C-alpha cells in the first residue's frame, strides 16, 4: 500500500534497529523450525494443523471454522504482525503512535475521513458466520502475539508491546484496501477546468474545450473495451460533438480552498494515487474459453498491481476443512479468507474498476448556537447541524504528547476535509465506503462457491472498492463481472446535470444529491438508490471466446469522449466514471491474444498466458515511434525547413532515430546484472536485448521531453502570471495522440484553438511538429550525457552505454526503511548496481508486466531530471494463471518478496523474489500436496 515510503528518515534509529535485529534473530529462527504440523494450542480440537509446503507456503487444516480462522490469524501474526499493526493504525489514524511524528499529517486526514468509524458501522452489518470468523481470527493473532517475541521493528521503535487485535481491526484493513482503490477527490479536475475557463476568457481560447476535448479527455489512448471487444461489437471513433460543457463555476473562495487542501495532502503517500490517477494502482485480468485453448479447458489470468513494498501486500495460504472447504490463494494479512485464488471448481481474480463512488461538495456553513458544533450547513436554504467529534492525536518518540483536534461532519454528505473559518466555506466528501459494507461476506462466500450462480450471488455482498472479476469453472464457463454499489445522483437520474457534473466539486446546497433508497436491490447495503447489478457491465461465455480487462473502460461508454450520453433502460443517464485507465495494457493484452488466435491452430496454451503476463512492450511507443521516424525522414528530404534539417543532420539524433527505427518496442534491462523475463541476473544479455534496452532508454527520455516541449510549454505560456495546471502522465499521452491523429485537419491546434506545436520562425505546421519531435530526441541525448545522469551513464555520449536497466529500478520499501527494505534486506539482497539504488528490471510505462514510472516531464525545471526519475514502486503483487479442468485444476503463481516479514536471516523473507523478477512461477497444489 501507498504508505510504504513515509520516509527512510521516519525512525532512522539505525544502530538500535540492527542491535534489536541481531538479538531477536535466534528466537525467530528457532520458531521457524517448530511451526509445522499439529499444534498443541489450548482450545484447538484434534486435527487442527499448519503445514508448510515445499515452496514455504502455509496450508491450514481444521475440522471447523473456529479453528481454521484461529490458525489463519496465528500464521498471519507469526509472519506479518508488524505489517498488520501498521496497516490497522494507518487506517485508524493512529500510525504516529507507532512510528512517530512524521505520520501525524496522515493520521489527521485518516481520522477525518473516518475509515475506523466506517469499520465500526460495518462490523454489525456482516453475517454472523463472518463475525464468528473474525472473532476466531483475532484470538489466533493474540495467541501468537502474547506468547512469542515481537518482530524486530518494535525494538527499533523502542516498543515492547502491541495492542490486542480486534474484529474491527480486520474490517478496517479491508476499508483501507478499498479506500486506496475507490476513493477519489475531484479537486484537481475542478481547479484545472476552472482555471482554463478563466484564463481562456481573458486570453481568447475556449477553456472548457481545452479541458474536456484537448487535455483531460474521457476517451482513452487505446480503445480496448472489455464487453464490446468480447462481444465482437464494433465501436465508433466519432467524437461526440455534444460532450459536456462545463460552464458552471465554484464560488470564488472555493478555488483557493481547493488549492490549499491539495497542498496539505500532496506529500502524504496514501493520497498520491487519489490525487493523481496515473499513480493509482491497477491490475490485469483476462480469460479464454476452452474452445480456444490447447487443452479444451478455460484459462484464467490475473495480476493485481499494488504497492511493491516489504513485506509483500498479499500473503499466500491454503485453507481446508475436510469435506467442506478447500481453497488456495492470496489474502491480506489482518483479514480472513482468500481474496483471489481457486478451489476445486472455480478460479477467480480481480482488477480495480474505477467507478465514481465519491462526490466532493462545496458547503456553505453558518454560525448556529443551536448546533452542538456551533455550525450548520445550508441545504436548500435550511440549516442542518454540523456534527463535531473530538479527537486526540498521540505520537511515539521523545516528548510524545497528546494533541487535541476535531472532526466536523455534514450528516447529509460526510466529513469536512477543508474549512475556511473566515468565509465559512468548506468541502465535504461523500463516499460509499463511509457506510456499512460487507466485502468480507462476499469473499468468504466466494471461497466456498462451486459454480457460476454461487459466485454471482456472492458478489451481491461486495459493496465498495468496486472490482472487475474474472471467473472460470470446471464446467467450461468463463465470465466477467463488475461488482460494487454505484450511487445514483438525482440530477443524472432526471436526465440532466445540475451545475457541475460529478467528476468536479459539486454544490452542496441542493440539486445533485445521492437519491435516497426507494427501490432496494438484492443484498443492498447503501442507504441510497444504486445502479442495479443487472445494469453493471458483465458478460458470460462471450461470443469472442475471451475477454480482457486492465482497468480500462469495461462498457465503452467513454470511447466517444462523452461519459454522459448513454441512457439507462428505465430512464436517466447511465454514468459510471469520467474516465478509466487509458487502455495501454488492455490494448496490448488484446493484441497479444489476437495474435495467438490468428495462428493456424487458433489455440492458446497455459505457457502463452504466462508469456502475456511477462510482456514488456510499450504500447505508446508503437504509436509515437513512427512519428519520430517520419520527422527524421522529412528533415533529410530535399528542401526541408532549415531548422528541421539541422536537427536531422545531427549525428547523435541520426543514430538514435536509427535505433528506434529497428526497435521492437520492448524494454529489457540490457545488463548482466539486470532481471528480465526469462533471464535472471548474472546471465549476459543477448545483442538484441542490448539494442532494445538502449532504444527503450532513448524513447523513454524522449517521451518526457516531448510532453514538456508541447503540452507543458504551451500551458506555461498561456498565462503570463503563472503556469496553468497540467494533465497527468496518461492524460498527456492521450492528449498528444489526439492532437497527432487530427493533425492533418487542425495543424496541431486543439478544439480549444490553442496551438500545442509552437516554434518561432517556422511557418509550416508539420515542420513545427517535426522540429519539436527531433528537438526532444536531441534533448534526451543531452540529458543522458549530463551531470544529472552521471551515476548511470558517466556523462557518456556513447549511446551504447544507455542501458535501460540503469534507469529502471525498484526498491521494495519498508515502512522503516533500511535495513528492512529490499535491497538491502540486512545485506542479504544487495542492489543490482554499485552506486545506484534498487534492483534493475525490465518493463516500463504501462507495460503489461506493470512497472510504471512517473514521466515527470524530466528536464523541464533545473534539478528535476536525475538518474532516479525512472524508478517504480508498484506492480504485480501476485501473478496467477489457472486452468479450470474437472477434478484436477492447474494453477501457477508467484509473489514479490516472501511469506515472512521478519528480517532475521529468515529464508522466507524474500523466497519468491528472484522468480518474480525473472517472471517465473511455481505450481500450486490444493492442500499443499
Amino acid at each position: 500500500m501507498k504508505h510504504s515510503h513515509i520516509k527512510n528518515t521516519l525512525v532512522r534509529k539505525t544502530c538500535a534497529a540492527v542491535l534489536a535485529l541481531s538479538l531477536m534473530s535466534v528466537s525467530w529462527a528457532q520458531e521457524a523450525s517448530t511451526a509445522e504440523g499439529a499444534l498443541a494450542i489450548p482450545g484447538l480440537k484434534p486435527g487442527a494443523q499448519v503445514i508448510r509446503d515445499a515452496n514455504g507456503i502455509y496450508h491450514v487444516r481444521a475440522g471447523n471454522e473456529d479453528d481454521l480462522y484461529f490458525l489463519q490469524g496465528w500464521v498471519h501474526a507469526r509472519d506479518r504482525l508488524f505489517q498488520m499493526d501498521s496497516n490497522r493504525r494507518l487506517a485508524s489514524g493512529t500510525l504516529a503512535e507507532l512510528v512517530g511524528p512524521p505520520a501525524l499529517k496522515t493520521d489527521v486526514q485518516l481520522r477525518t475521513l473516518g475509515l475506523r468509524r466506517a469499520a465500526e458501522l460495518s462490523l454489525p452489518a456482516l453475517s454472523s458466520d463472518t463475525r464468528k470468523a473474525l472473532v476466531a481470527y483475532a484470538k489466533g493473532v493474540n495467541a501468537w502475539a502474547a506468547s512469542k517475541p515481537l518482530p524486530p521493528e518494535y525494538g527499533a521503535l523502542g516498543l515492547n508491546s502491541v495492542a490486542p487485535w480486534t474484529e474491527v481491526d480486520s474490517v478496517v484493513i479491508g476499508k483501507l484496501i478499498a479506500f486506496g482503490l475507490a476513493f477519489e477527490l475531484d479537486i484537481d479536475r475542478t481547479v484545472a477546468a476552472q482555471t482554463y475557463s478563466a484564463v481562456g476568457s481573458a486570453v481568447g481560447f475556449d477553456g472548457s474545450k481545452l479541458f474536456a476535448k484537448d487535455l483531460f479527455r474521457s476517451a482513452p489512448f487505446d480503445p480496448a473495451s472489455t464487453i464490446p471487444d468480447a462481444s465482437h461489437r464494433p465501436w465508433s471513433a466519432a467524437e461526440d460533438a455534444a460532450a459536456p460543457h462545463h460552464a458552471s463555476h465554484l464560488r470564488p473562495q472555493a478555488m483557493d480552498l481547493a488549492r490549499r487542501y491539495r497542498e496539505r495532502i500532496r506529500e502524504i503517500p496514501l493520497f498520491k494515487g487519489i490525487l493523481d490517477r496515473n499513480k493509482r494502482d491497477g491490475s490485469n485480468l483476462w480469460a479464454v474459453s476452452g474452445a480456444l485453448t490447447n487443452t479444451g479447458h478455460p484459462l484464467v489470468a490475473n495480476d493485481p498491481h499494488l504497492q511493491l513494498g516489504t513485506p509483500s501486500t498479499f500473503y499466500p495460504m491454503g485453507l481446508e476443512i475436510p469435506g467442506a472447504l478447500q481453497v488456495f490463494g492470496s489474502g491480506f494479512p489482518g483479514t480472513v479468507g482468500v481474496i483471489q485464488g481457486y478451489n476445486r471448481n472455480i478460479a477467480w481474480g480481480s482488477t480495480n474498476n474505477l467507478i465514481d463512488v465519491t462526490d466532493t461538495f462545496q458547503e456553505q456553513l453558518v454560525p448556529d448556537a443551536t448546533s452542538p458544533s456551533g455550525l450548520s450547513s445550508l441545504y436548500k436554504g435550511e440549516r442542518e447541524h454540523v456534527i463535531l467529534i473530538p479527537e486526540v492525536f498521540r505520537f511515539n518518540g521523545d516528548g510524545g504528547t497528546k494533541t487535541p483536534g476535531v472532526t466536523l461532519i455534514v450528516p447529509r454528505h460526510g466529513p469536512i476535509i477543508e474549512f475556511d473559518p473566515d468565509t465559512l466555506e468548506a468541502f465535504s466528501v461523500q463516499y460509499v465506503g463511509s457506510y456499512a459494507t460487507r466485502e468480507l461476506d462476499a469473499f468468504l462466500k466466494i471461497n466456498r462457491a462451486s459454480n457460476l450462480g454461487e459466485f454471482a450471488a456472492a458478489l451481491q455482498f461486495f459493496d465498495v472498492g468496486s472490482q472487475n472479476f474474472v471467473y472460470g469453472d470446471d464446467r467450461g464457463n468463463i465470465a466477467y463481472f463488475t461488482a460494487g454499489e454505484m450511487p445514483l445522483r438525482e440530477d443524472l437520474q432526471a436526465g440532466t446535470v445540475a451545475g457541475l457534473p460529478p467528476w468536479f466539486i459539486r454544490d452542496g446546497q441542493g440539486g445533485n444529491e445521492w437519491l435516497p433508497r426507494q427501490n432496494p436491490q438484492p443484498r443492498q447495503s447503501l442507504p441510497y438508490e444504486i445502479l442495479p447489478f443487472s445494469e453493471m457491465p458483465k458478460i458470460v461465455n462471450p461470443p469472442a471466446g475471451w475477454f480482457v480487462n486492465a482497468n480500462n473502460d469495461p462498457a465503452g461508454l467513454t470511447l466517444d469522449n462523452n461519459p454522459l450520453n448513454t441512457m439507462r433502460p428505465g430512464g436517466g443517464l447511465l454514468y459510471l466514471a469520467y474516465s478509466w485507465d487509458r487502455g495501454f495494457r488492455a490494448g496490448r493484452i488484446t493484441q497479444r491474444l489476437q495474435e495467438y488466435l490468428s495462428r493456424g491452430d487458433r489455440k492458446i496454451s497455459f505457457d502463452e498466458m504466462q508469456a502475456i503476463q511477462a510482456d514488456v512492450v510499450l504500447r505508446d511507443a508503437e504509436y509515437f515511434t513512427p512519428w519520430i521516424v517520419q520527422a527524421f525522414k522529412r528533415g533529410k528530404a530535399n528542401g526541408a525547413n532549415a531548422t528541421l534539417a539541422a536537427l536531422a543532420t545531427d549525428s547523435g539524433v541520426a543514430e538514435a532515430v536509427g535505433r528506434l527505427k529497428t526497435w521492437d518496442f520492448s524494454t529489457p534491462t540490457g545488463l548482466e546484472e539486470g532481471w528480465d523475463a526469462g533471464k535472471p541476473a548474472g546471465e549476459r544479455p543477448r545483442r538484441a536485448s542490448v539494442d532494445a534496452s538502449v532504444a527503450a532508454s532513448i524513447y523513454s527520455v524522449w517521451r518526457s521531453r516531448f510532453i514538456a516541449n508541447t503540452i507543458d510549454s504551451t500551458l506555461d505560456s498561456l498565462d503570463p502570471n503563472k503556469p496553468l495546471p497540467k494533465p497527468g502522465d496518461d492524460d498527456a499521452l492521450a492528449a498528444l495522440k489526439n492532437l497527432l491523429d487530427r493533425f492533418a485537419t487542425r495543424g496541431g491546434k486543439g478544439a480549444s484553438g490553442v496551438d500545442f506545436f509552437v516554434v518561432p520562425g517556422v511557418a509550416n505546421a508539420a515542420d513545427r511538429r517535426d522540429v519539436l519531435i527531433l528537438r526532444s530526441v536531441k534533448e534526451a541525448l543531452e540529458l543522458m550525457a549530463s551531470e544529472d545522469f552521471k551515476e548511470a551513464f558517466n556523462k557518456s555520449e556513447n549511446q551504447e552505454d544507455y542501458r535501460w536497466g540503469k534507469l529502471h529500478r525498484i526498491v521494495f520499501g519498508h515502512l522503516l526503511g533500511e535495513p528492512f527494505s529490499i535491497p538491502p534486506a540486512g545485506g542479504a539482497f544487495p542492489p543490482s548496481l554499485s552506486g545506484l539504488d534498487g534492483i534493475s528490471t525490465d518493463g516500463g510505462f504501462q507495460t503489461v508486466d506493470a512497472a510504471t514510472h512517473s514521466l515527470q516531464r524530466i528536464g523541464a525545471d533545473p534539478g528535476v531530471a536525475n538518474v532516479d526519475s525512472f524508478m517504480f514502486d508498484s506492480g504485480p503483487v501476485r501473478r496467477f494463471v489457472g486452468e479450470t479442468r474437472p477434478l484436477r485444476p492447474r494453477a501457477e503463481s508467484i509473489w514479490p518478496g516472501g511469506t515472512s516479514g521478519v528480517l532475521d536471516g529468515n529464508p522466507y523473507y524474500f523466497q519468491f523474489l528472484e522468480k518474480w523478477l525473472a517472471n517465473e512461477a511455481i505450481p500450486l497444489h490444493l492442500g499443499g500436496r
Side-chain angles (χ1 to χ4, degrees):
M1 278 170 287
K2 297 256 181 206
H3 68 288
S4 296
H5 303 293
I6 284 185
K7 294 294 181 187
N8 285 356
T9 57
L10 189 64
V11 278
R12 191 65 78 88
K13 301 176 181 178
T14 307
C15 293
V18 174
L19 177 60
L21 203 59
S22 62
L23 291 175
M24 293 183 179
S25 63
V26 175
S27 60
W28 279 87
Q30 289 173 342
E31 287 292 343
S33 65
T34 60
E36 293 91 20
L39 300 172
I41 298 175
L44 290 184
K45 291 183 171 57
Q49 58 182 326
V50 176
I51 295 174
R52 195 195 293 269
D53 68 20
N55 295 311
I57 298 172
Y58 280 122
H59 297 258
V60 174
R61 294 177 190 156
N64 59 81
E65 290 190 359
D66 285 348
D67 288 353
L68 184 78
Y69 295 120
F70 177 98
L71 288 177
Q72 186 176 27
W74 191 87
V75 170
H76 278 176
R78 179 191 187 281
D79 280 345
R80 301 290 186 90
L81 183 61
F82 182 77
Q83 180 187 34
M84 293 162 60
D85 190 17
S86 59
N87 280 344
R88 69 169 165 175
R89 288 185 172 278
L90 171 65
S92 302
T94 61
L95 185 61
E97 295 179 17
L98 181 69
V99 302
L104 280 172
K105 290 183 179 179
T106 303
D107 283 354
V108 170
Q109 296 303 322
L110 269 295
R111 200 85 66 87
T112 298
L113 292 168
L115 300 191
R116 187 82 184 187
R117 296 192 300 271
E120 290 167 349
L121 287 175
S122 297
L123 180 61
L126 295 170
S127 69
S128 59
D129 287 345
T130 298
R131 294 198 303 273
K132 284 180 60 180
L134 292 175
V135 169
Y137 181 91
K139 288 180 179 177
V141 173
N142 293 328
W144 173 270
S147 60
K148 307 296 180 183
L150 293 178
E153 289 94 332
Y154 290 94
L157 293 167
L159 300 172
N160 57 18
S161 64
V162 61
W165 197 263
T166 70
E167 303 95 277
V168 176
D169 291 331
S170 292
V171 179
V172 83
I173 283 183
K175 288 287 187 179
L176 179 66
I177 300 295
F179 177 82
L181 297 172
F183 188 82
E184 202 165 17
L185 289 168
D186 304 309
I187 289 175
D188 281 1
R189 285 186 185 137
T190 306
V191 169
Q194 300 207 7
T195 303
Y196 292 172
S197 293
V199 174
S201 297
V203 175
F205 62 83
D206 189 323
S208 179
K209 289 182 178 179
L210 180 65
F211 179 90
K213 287 184 170 289
D214 292 347
L215 298 182
F216 288 80
R217 296 171 56 79
S218 290
F221 183 96
D222 188 294
S225 183
T226 306
I227 293 173
D229 292 347
S231 305
H232 293 311
R233 193 169 76 215
W235 61 277
S236 172
E239 184 164 318
D240 188 343
H245 191 72
H246 316 304
S248 299
H249 289 77
L250 292 178
R251 296 189 291 276
Q253 303 93 327
M255 287 291 285
D256 290 337
L257 201 64
R259 293 187 181 97
R260 190 169 77 192
Y261 180 66
R262 195 196 193 289
E263 186 64 23
R264 189 188 307 277
I265 66 172
R266 69 184 180 89
E267 294 303 325
I268 297 176
L270 184 65
F271 284 83
K272 289 184 177 178
I274 291 166
L275 288 170
D276 184 356
R277 185 174 279 187
N278 299 308
K279 295 181 175 61
R280 178 161 292 197
D281 298 316
S283 306
N284 302 322
L285 64 75
W286 65 98
V288 181
S289 73
L292 299 177
T293 68
N294 63 349
T295 64
H297 303 297
L299 290 172
V300 171
N302 181 219
D303 51 291
H305 310 152
L306 297 169
Q307 189 73 28
L308 291 172
T310 299
S312 302
T313 300
F314 270 142
Y315 189 96
M317 182 180 280
L319 299 173
E320 182 176 356
I321 299 175
L325 173 69
Q326 191 173 49
V327 63
F328 182 94
S330 300
F332 294 117
T335 62
V336 295
V338 168
I339 305 302
Q340 296 178 340
Y342 77 108
N343 59 34
R344 289 207 174 275
N345 303 111
I346 74 169
W348 80 95
S350 63
T351 66
N352 195 13
N353 183 256
L354 301 175
I355 61 173
D356 187 353
V357 297
T358 312
D359 278 344
T360 305
F361 290 97
Q362 182 185 14
E363 306 283 358
Q364 181 60 61
L365 306 184
V366 294
D368 187 346
T370 68
S371 170
S373 66
L375 295 168
S376 284
S377 62
L378 293 180
Y379 177 73
K380 293 185 176 179
E382 299 293 326
R383 296 185 177 196
E384 297 186 345
H385 290 172
V386 172
I387 297 171
L388 182 148
I389 302 176
E391 307 280 12
V392 177
F393 297 91
R394 300 176 175 86
F395 63 88
N396 180 29
D398 296 336
T401 60
K402 298 179 181 179
T403 302
V406 298
T407 293
L408 297 174
I409 297 177
V410 177
R412 180 175 296 277
H413 296 142
I416 291 176
I417 58 173
E418 190 65 38
F419 171 56
D420 189 323
D422 295 324
T423 65
L424 297 186
E425 294 275 356
F427 291 145
S428 67
V429 175
Q430 189 170 21
Y431 165 54
V432 168
S434 298
Y435 301 91
T437 62
R438 303 153 305 170
E439 295 72 49
L440 288 176
D441 278 350
F443 286 118
L444 292 186
K445 291 178 183 296
I446 289 172
N447 288 184
R448 293 175 176 273
S450 62
N451 57 53
L452 184 62
E454 292 174 355
F455 183 82
L459 293 182
Q460 307 302 310
F461 293 88
F462 190 92
D463 300 322
V464 70
S466 181
Q467 296 286 290
N468 307 285
F469 282 90
V470 59
Y471 169 93
D473 66 30
D474 59 358
R475 300 181 185 184
N477 297 303
I478 62 171
Y480 163 85
F481 295 98
T482 56
E485 297 195 351
M486 175 69 182
L488 297 180
R489 282 86 171 172
E490 63 174 317
D491 56 332
L492 303 189
Q493 186 58 24
T496 187
V497 176
L500 292 169
W503 52 88
F504 295 123
I505 298 172
R506 311 202 84 185
D507 188 346
Q509 295 191 50
N512 42 41
E513 298 298 307
W514 294 5
L515 286 168
R517 182 170 58 192
Q518 294 179 329
N519 303 289
Q521 299 299 310
R523 310 298 184 184
Q524 180 175 344
S525 173
L526 201 66
Y528 299 96
E529 288 287 277
I530 64 172
L531 190 69
F533 186 70
S534 61
E535 294 184 44
M536 296 285 279
K538 65 178 70 65
I539 193 165
V540 176
N541 295 324
W546 55 267
F547 59 80
V548 173
N549 185 273
N551 316 113
N552 53 307
D553 185 340
L557 299 180
T558 62
L559 299 186
D560 63 356
N561 202 47
N562 187 346
L564 284 179
N565 62 348
T566 302
M567 300 300 293
R568 295 183 56 210
L573 294 171
L574 176 60
Y575 169 67
L576 295 178
Y578 178 70
S579 64
W580 279 266
D581 183 273
R582 297 308 188 170
F584 299 99
R585 287 175 285 111
R588 177 60 181 167
I589 296 167
T590 299
Q591 182 185 52
R592 289 293 303 271
L593 283 174
Q594 290 173 333
E595 287 172 355
Y596 285 135
L597 293 173
S598 66
R599 300 174 309 189
D601 61 359
R602 299 176 63 82
K603 302 290 183 179
I604 293 176
S605 70
F606 193 99
D607 291 346
E608 287 166 341
M609 297 283 278
Q610 292 178 317
I612 296 175
Q613 286 185 327
D615 189 273
V616 290
V617 163
L618 297 176
R619 186 67 166 165
D620 63 295
E622 292 182 297
Y623 176 82
F624 286 112
T625 300
W627 288 96
I628 301 174
V629 174
Q630 174 187 288
F632 181 77
K633 183 178 180 181
R634 290 188 71 247
K636 297 293 288 184
N638 291 332
N641 171 270
T643 303
L644 180 61
L647 287 165
T649 56
D650 180 279
S651 59
V653 171
E655 179 185 348
V657 174
R659 290 178 178 274
L660 294 173
K661 186 177 181 179
T662 59
W663 179 37
D664 65 358
F665 314 119
S666 67
T667 53
T669 64
L671 299 172
E672 183 173 333
E673 304 92 335
W675 292 88
D676 297 277
K679 187 202 83 67
E683 290 186 9
R684 294 186 63 183
R686 297 179 179 178
R687 180 69 248 174
S689 292
V690 171
D691 291 341
S693 171
V694 173
S697 295
I698 293 169
Y699 174 82
S700 296
V701 184
W702 169 86
R703 181 209 284 128
S704 294
R705 292 305 307 139
F706 188 51
I707 296 172
N709 286 329
T710 51
I711 290 174
D712 290 1
S713 63
T714 298
L715 292 174
D716 289 345
S717 69
L718 289 176
D719 186 344
N721 298 314
K722 59 183 178 181
L724 300 186
K726 298 177 175 65
D729 296 341
D730 289 19
D731 289 335
L733 289 179
L736 278 173
K737 181 177 184 293
N738 178 61
L739 289 167
L740 291 175
D741 284 346
R742 299 172 185 273
F743 205 92
T745 57
R746 292 184 178 173
K749 290 185 178 181
S752 61
V754 173
D755 189 350
F756 290 90
F757 296 83
V758 176
V759 181
V762 178
N764 181 271
D767 289 341
R768 293 196 301 270
R769 174 199 65 204
D770 292 347
V771 164
L772 292 179
I773 289 174
L774 294 189
R775 181 180 292 170
S776 298
V777 174
K778 183 174 176 62
E779 290 174 354
L781 298 175
E782 291 170 348
L783 271 170
M784 288 189 285
S786 72
E787 184 72 25
D788 290 316
F789 283 73
K790 181 179 179 179
E791 292 91 342
F793 303 137
N794 199 29
K795 300 178 71 172
S796 172
E797 296 183 3
N798 181 357
Q799 295 180 23
E800 186 74 6
D801 293 333
Y802 299 159
R803 308 292 176 88
W804 179 234
K806 293 186 177 182
L807 299 180
H808 193 250
R809 295 168 279 115
I810 182 171
V811 173
F812 295 85
H814 187 283
L815 181 64
L816 305 189
E818 297 182 6
F820 302 99
S821 297
I822 308 174
F829 204 115
S832 296
L833 301 165
S834 177
L836 292 171
D837 290 338
I839 302 167
S840 297
T841 78
D842 57 356
F845 185 79
Q846 289 287 4
T847 51
V848 174
D849 186 15
T852 291
H853 51 85
S854 174
L855 300 189
Q856 295 189 42
R857 283 72 147 169
I858 59 166
D861 300 300
V864 172
N866 63 71
V867 74
D868 295 333
S869 295
F870 297 92
M871 294 183 70
F872 68 104
D873 60 6
S874 65
V877 293
R878 167 213 190 218
R879 296 192 191 101
F880 172 85
V881 173
E883 182 182 33
T884 54
R885 56 192 182 189
L887 301 179
R888 296 182 300 107
R890 179 187 177 189
E892 293 190 4
S893 193
I894 200 66
W895 302 264
T899 52
S900 178
V902 183
L903 177 61
D904 58 358
N906 189 331
Y908 301 110
Y909 196 69
F910 52 79
Q911 83 248 40
F912 302 126
L913 183 55
E914 292 189 350
K915 286 184 178 294
W916 182 91
L917 290 166
N919 276 89
E920 299 173 0
I922 59 174
L924 310 179
H925 302 286
L926 289 171
R929 297 181 290 268

